[in-house]
Amino acid sequence: MPTLAQAKDGLRLEAVPLRQIAEQYGTPTYVYSRAALEAAYRSYTDALAGRDSLVCFAVKANSNLAVLDVFARLGAGFDIVSGGEMARVLAAGGRADRIVFSGVGKTVAELRDALVAGIRCFNVESPTEIDRLNEVAGSLGKRAPIALRVNPNVDPKTHPYISTGLRDNKFGVAFADALALYRRAAALPNLHVSGIACHIGSQLLDGAPVTEAAEKVLGLVRQLESEGIHLEHIDLGGGLGIRYANEVPPKVADYLAPLLACFAGRKEQLCFEPGRSLVGNAGLLLTRVEFLKHGETKNFAIVDAAMNDLARPALYDAYHDMVAVAPGTDTPEQVYEIVGPICESGDFLGHDRKLAIAAGDLLAIQSAGAYGMVMSSNYNTRPRAAEVMVDGDQVHLVRARETVQSLFAGESRLP
Ligand SMILES: *Cc1c(COP(=O)(O)O)cnc(C)c1O
């Protein structure tokens, strides 16, 4: 969990009281800790010290420019899944030659823009994408660096919606087809075969499936080598889980150790694409209790954040821990359903939470730095939350709260 400290004025993130953030910027507000982001990134680079490697932050987990900026300053690469994410990385000061582009549906325009920008690698996910990329690169007089994203068909033992490496899903190319596709790609004039990629799923709490995938990848790398196709990098994707409740994910170094061992003595650069494990526990969603409502069988705490701000509970039945920013000393602890104001029964943020809260109190919804703000919407014409970055005793507003007017600025009445 992020480093929340108890002080006289309630919880603080780094040296900043959460209450001060709520007063200054309102609620709901996403709050990130620069120190926690940096520590998470360093846990990767420390474990990879001495190995030619690149940590590419999976931008889709949190694409705020300030978050990208923190990683760019540390020398990170970036894993993107759209032209929009590439624009964000470049605007945040990230280097194009450290961008890898994943995704099953890259458009011609996205491929062209990425080629012009000079990204490091296209992680190609289908035979037709090979042809499309070869064509686009040819039209620009360029050679596109590619890796095939292979589907090693190992079970990541995670939620089915976030499992991506099994045979029957839309990601990557079948392992059995990979060799033939490499031969084909290597023969095309406008492609440069640069690497291999795999990513088997998300919120992995056991490193064994990734190690199993890595061993399969190594077998393929050796086969390619024997045919004269020499790769420059091996990308083992992201997926390492974090602690939301009482999960015990492996430490980054322990997760990486068997992977480093697998490729020991090989000269290819090792790449990783962590998202959640870099940002998830570096952020929280600060919300205020609007009403307490005592029903016949349940008590509800209606807060000013909702499923449009944090979709994971409604979407995956995900658990986010919650703490009162300043638990009342004479408020009794009660068990609450934590719900938002949206007109959907699925609009909940937590079930059965024991909290000592009164109307007007602040709650910190933990582990909200990954797949939080990026999945938010304007459902119910709710302006999206502000985002702030705490840095020591400083707070920086890194995304202003939306205004209602901005939500329909692109709309018009009939002529
Ligand atoms: C989502 C995704 C990631 C990041 O996954 P996390 O579980 O957040 O680490 C990395 N690579 C690819 C291709 C992805 O789709």
Side-chain angles (χ1 to χ4, degrees), residues 31-76:
V31 187
Y32 309 120
S33 158
R34 179 175 187 178
L37 293 169
E38 293 184 339
Y41 179 80
R42 291 216 167 91
S43 68
Y44 276 87
T45 51
D46 288 353
L48 294 167
R51 180 68 166 88
D52 182 12
S53 61
L54 185 65
V55 177
C56 296
F57 170 56
V59 174
K60 73 174 192 275
N62 187 324
S63 56
N64 184 282
L65 292 199
V67 171
L68 303 180
D69 184 15
V70 166
F71 292 135
R73 285 175 200 232
L74 296 173

Side-chain angles (χ1 to χ4, degrees), residues 57-391:
F57 170 56
V59 174
K60 73 174 192 275
N62 187 324
S63 56
N64 184 282
L65 292 199
V67 171
L68 303 180
D69 184 15
V70 166
F71 292 135
R73 285 175 200 232
L74 296 173
F78 295 92
D79 171 42
I80 61 165
V81 293
S82 72
E85 287 188 352
M86 183 177 81
R88 282 180 173 276
V89 169
L90 298 177
R95 283 172 48 167
D97 62 1
R98 291 187 186 163
I99 292 176
V100 299
F101 195 165
S102 306
V104 294
K106 304 177 194 82
T107 65
V108 168
E110 285 176 324
L111 295 174
R112 187 181 300 130
D113 290 349
L115 278 165
V116 170
I119 68 165
R120 172 190 178 71
C121 191
F122 293 84
N123 289 351
V124 171
E125 304 218 15
S126 64
T128 42
E129 188 186 339
I130 295 177
D131 297 329
R132 177 178 281 189
L133 183 56
N134 181 57
E135 231 167 81
V136 175
S139 73
L140 293 169
K142 291 186 183 289
R143 281 186 93 188
I146 68 155
L148 281 188
R149 176 172 174 186
V150 298
N151 206 328
N153 200 30
V154 301
D155 183 356
K157 304 187 188 79
T158 185
H159 191 290
Y161 285 10
I162 47 182
S163 150
T164 56
L166 279 170
R167 197 185 318 230
D168 293 335
N169 70 50
K170 69 178 177 181
F171 300 102
V173 301
F175 203 79
D177 300 342
L179 199 55
L181 289 172
Y182 266 108
R183 288 184 191 125
R184 192 147 84 70
L188 289 171
N190 309 314
L191 299 183
H192 167 68
V193 172
S194 162
I196 187 165
C198 79
H199 170 77
I200 62 168
S202 200
Q203 184 56 12
L204 308 176
L205 296 172
D206 176 0
V210 180
T211 306
E212 191 188 330
E215 282 160 1
K216 286 190 159 183
V217 165
L218 175 58
L220 195 50
V221 170
R222 289 200 172 119
Q223 253 178 311
L224 290 168
E225 203 168 38
S226 73
E227 300 200 6
I229 299 176
H230 299 276
L231 303 182
E232 289 142 25
H233 74 271
I234 296 166
D235 180 340
L236 297 171
L240 177 59
I242 62 167
R243 184 177 190 126
Y244 286 97
N246 36 39
E247 304 93 331
V248 189
K251 289 200 174 72
V252 171
D254 296 336
Y255 169 81
L256 293 177
L259 303 176
L260 286 168
C262 181
F263 297 100
R266 296 205 60 96
K267 59 184 186 336
E268 296 89 354
Q269 183 179 60
L270 282 187
C271 302
F272 297 91
E273 304 171 347
R276 190 187 315 266
S277 56
L278 289 183
V279 292
N281 272 332
L284 58 86
L285 175 59
L286 188 60
T287 184
R288 195 179 287 280
V289 178
E290 291 285 344
F291 295 102
L292 294 181
K293 187 168 169 181
H294 300 281
E296 273 174 40
T297 56
K298 297 215 171 207
N299 298 316
F300 294 93
I302 300 160
V303 299
D304 64 6
M307 66 188 283
N308 76 297
D309 299 301
L310 181 64
R312 300 187 68 257
L315 203 57
Y316 311 116
D317 207 16
Y319 178 95
H320 285 267
D321 202 31
M322 292 180 199
V323 284
V325 168
T329 42
D330 42 35
T331 318
E333 264 196 343
Q334 283 195 295
V335 176
Y336 291 100
E337 291 291 296
I338 312 296
V339 301
I342 285 185
C343 303
E344 296 274 350
S345 304
D347 182 25
F348 72 92
L349 296 168
H351 297 303
D352 296 334
R353 302 305 173 85
K354 197 182 230 184
L355 292 164
I357 44 174
D361 283 359
L362 294 169
L363 279 181
I365 303 176
Q366 304 260 58
S367 312
Y371 306 106
M373 183 65 177
V374 286
M375 293 178 90
S376 65
S377 78
N378 294 120
Y379 189 40
N380 280 205
T381 306
R382 288 170 51 83
R384 270 178 294 187
E387 293 177 285
V388 303
M389 175 92 65
V390 167
D391 185 3

